[in-house]
Amino acid sequence: MSEVATNAPASVAGSAYTRRERALIIAAAVSGWGMEYFDLVILSLVAGDVGKTFGVSTAAVGAVFTAQLAATAVGGVLFGPLADRFGRRRVLTWTIWIFAIGTGLGALAPNFGLFVVCRMIAGIGIGGEWAIGFALLNEAWSPKRRGLAGGAVQAAIWPAYAIGIFVAGAVPNWRWAFAIGALPALAAIAIRLACPESKQWLELQRVRAEGGTTAAREPATAGLALLFRKNALKMVVLGTIVVFGAQYSYYVYSSWMPTFLKTGLHLGSGPTQTVLYVSAAISLVSYVAAGAAGDAWGRRKALLAFASVQLVAFIAFAVLIATGASTGAVIAMYFVISFGLGYFAVFGTWFGELFATPIRATGSSFCYSVGRGIASFGPGVVGLLAARYGLGGGISTGLFAVALMMITALFLADRSGRAITSVE
């Protein structure tokens, strides 16, 4: 049962949107998430050059990743409530402007300290974008195909990653790569002009203005306070833990795998890049498949199915590393781990269906961004463990995070395929 449940009849549902409106909304969600991921990944692709320019160690550059990811938690807590108060479309454009401007300013940073500040500004914007884009998508999309649409949005990671690799290799220095990262500001203008606002959110504002029902009379400024009410609090805590497990497992292997392939498996730059491309392509297929599975089986079952694949693969990866298995076997298991990542495509629709319209962006954004922010220490844990167990051993800790995610997901409500209305 929703935390703001009411006996009021449904007033606006996804069926109220035209095909063109849905196309514009999914385009906004795909472009927003793709641009966000490009912004996140570009630093990892030019980290060495950044360190040389500012004369800092690899560890110092690594700390920028942590600071940036921690800032996403701030952005999630800040922008989710704003989207529930001022509208999905408006605040979505704010988040894109902020991370684009932060990235662009980073290209001009005269010293390392200001560069870190710029990355944290970008992180704040990044933290708000994901949940807002998915809130808008969930409200507009047909319940029967909502998961597939979410999988398509999540799959935007692959072209964003490919563009990032191309840009990092094509520009004369890293500053140009960050300057290009400012271009999403133009896309934000297009989204603001062309993308429709959520009809459920607009209807909620009308009902509020007229005095509405008990749920609608909740003040728009209540924001985070509504998440700490009894029914919502359980979903928030469980959702945040689920995301933490997923993000930790992702960060420990994605952040260090390029280095492990080169130093642990002794691959050259060309083969390493090929392995990373193949891994990303496998994940793309997995995201779409998991989104479709969420529609057919429900969000929880889809997540558990793909997470089970990844858990087994992580265990096998750890055994292969410990026994000194062949390079081909280790890489093959890395590809299976990448396929298991499909469960990330489930989060956007699952959380959007959990929370009611007045707190949809607030709840989704809190769970995803705070879970991601807490998981930001994962790469540091691997670095510490690598001294004793090697990078492969450190990366293998991801299996514990996957297990935690799966266990917690068993207790998180699943409201797959429900109609999303303005007042629930």
Side-chain angles (χ1 to χ4, degrees):
M1 183 175 180
S2 169
E3 66 284 351
V4 290
T6 177
N7 293 324
S11 49
V12 176
S15 58
Y17 292 81
T18 67
R19 181 175 297 180
R20 180 177 181 276
E21 288 172 330
R22 286 178 175 165
L24 289 171
I25 286 171
I26 197 170
V30 167
S31 59
W33 175 229
M35 290 182 292
E36 172 187 327
Y37 191 76
F38 173 89
D39 193 282
L40 275 173
V41 79
I42 197 67
L43 176 60
S44 67
L45 297 172
V46 297
D49 293 334
V50 171
K52 290 177 182 178
T53 297
F54 293 123
V56 298
S57 66
T58 301
V61 177
V64 180
F65 288 101
T66 299
Q68 176 177 281
L69 291 172
T72 64
V74 177
V77 172
L78 172 65
F79 286 110
L82 290 177
D84 286 328
R85 182 178 180 184
F86 296 109
R88 318 308 193 203
R89 179 182 62 179
R90 180 186 300 180
V91 180
L92 179 63
T93 60
W94 293 353
T95 64
I96 296 173
W97 278 331
I98 289 172
F99 78 67
I101 292 171
T103 301
L105 290 176
L108 304 175
N111 56 61
F112 187 66
L114 286 177
F115 178 76
V116 174
V117 171
C118 290
R119 294 314 300 158
M120 292 183 71
I121 292 172
I124 290 172
I126 287 170
E129 186 282 328
W130 179 90
I132 299 171
F134 265 108
L136 186 55
L137 181 78
N138 281 319
E139 289 161 351
W141 221 257
S142 164
K144 293 183 179 180
R145 294 290 180 268
R146 192 178 287 144
L148 182 59
V153 172
Q154 186 68 29
I157 281 180
W158 191 86
Y161 184 67
I163 293 171
I165 293 175
F166 173 79
V167 168
V171 296
N173 60 64
W174 66 267
R175 293 186 184 275
W176 280 100
F178 280 91
I180 291 172
L183 293 179
L186 299 177
I189 297 174
I191 290 172
R192 184 65 180 272
L193 293 174
C195 183
E197 180 55 271
S198 163
K199 295 185 179 181
Q200 287 91 332
W201 183 85
L202 290 172
E203 174 67 8
L204 177 63
Q205 307 319 300
R206 184 191 67 77
V207 174
R208 276 176 168 158
E210 295 176 355
T213 63
T214 301
R217 285 199 297 271
E218 294 284 5
T221 55
L224 290 172
L226 293 176
L227 297 185
F228 294 94
R229 294 188 176 181
K230 183 178 179 181
N231 291 338
L233 182 60
K234 179 181 178 181
M235 293 190 294
V236 169
V237 172
L238 292 176
T240 301
I241 295 173
V242 167
V243 172
F244 162 76
Q247 294 286 6
Y248 179 94
S249 66
Y250 174 73
Y251 289 140
V252 298
Y253 98 91
S254 66
S255 299
W256 288 103
M257 189 56 73
T259 302
F260 175 69
L261 291 173
K262 293 178 181 179
T263 62
L265 300 183
H266 308 292
L267 298 183
S269 297
T272 294
Q273 190 175 74
T274 298
V275 169
L276 295 175
Y277 268 128
V278 172
S279 170
I282 290 172
S283 296
L284 181 149
V285 174
S286 179
Y287 293 143
V288 176
D295 288 328
W297 308 336
R299 314 304 175 208
R300 184 193 296 116
K301 289 182 180 178
L303 179 140
L304 291 174
F306 281 81
S308 296
V309 171
Q310 191 178 66
L311 179 62
V312 172
F314 258 121
I315 293 172
F317 180 87
V319 171
L320 291 172
I321 294 297
T323 57
S326 67
T327 297
V330 173
I331 291 175
M333 206 49 57
Y334 168 53
F335 288 155
V336 179
I337 291 174
S338 299
F339 182 79
L341 281 176
Y343 56 73
F344 270 93
V346 177
F347 290 135
T349 47
W350 193 351
F351 292 161
E353 290 168 334
L354 277 181
F355 297 101
T357 299
I359 59 169
R360 178 161 296 113
T362 301
S364 299
S365 191
F366 186 96
C367 292
Y368 196 83
S369 297
V370 173
R372 176 167 60 180
I374 298 172
S376 64
F377 71 81
V381 171
V382 175
L384 292 173
L385 293 175
R388 182 170 182 178
Y389 302 104
L391 279 178
I395 292 170
S396 298
T397 61
L399 69 91
F400 300 107
V402 175
L404 174 65
M405 174 186 67
M406 294 176 67
I407 293 170
T408 308
L410 292 172
F411 300 95
L412 185 61
D414 185 353
R415 306 181 69 193
S416 301
R418 75 178 182 90
I420 292 179
T421 56
S422 57
V423 180
E424 306 166 56

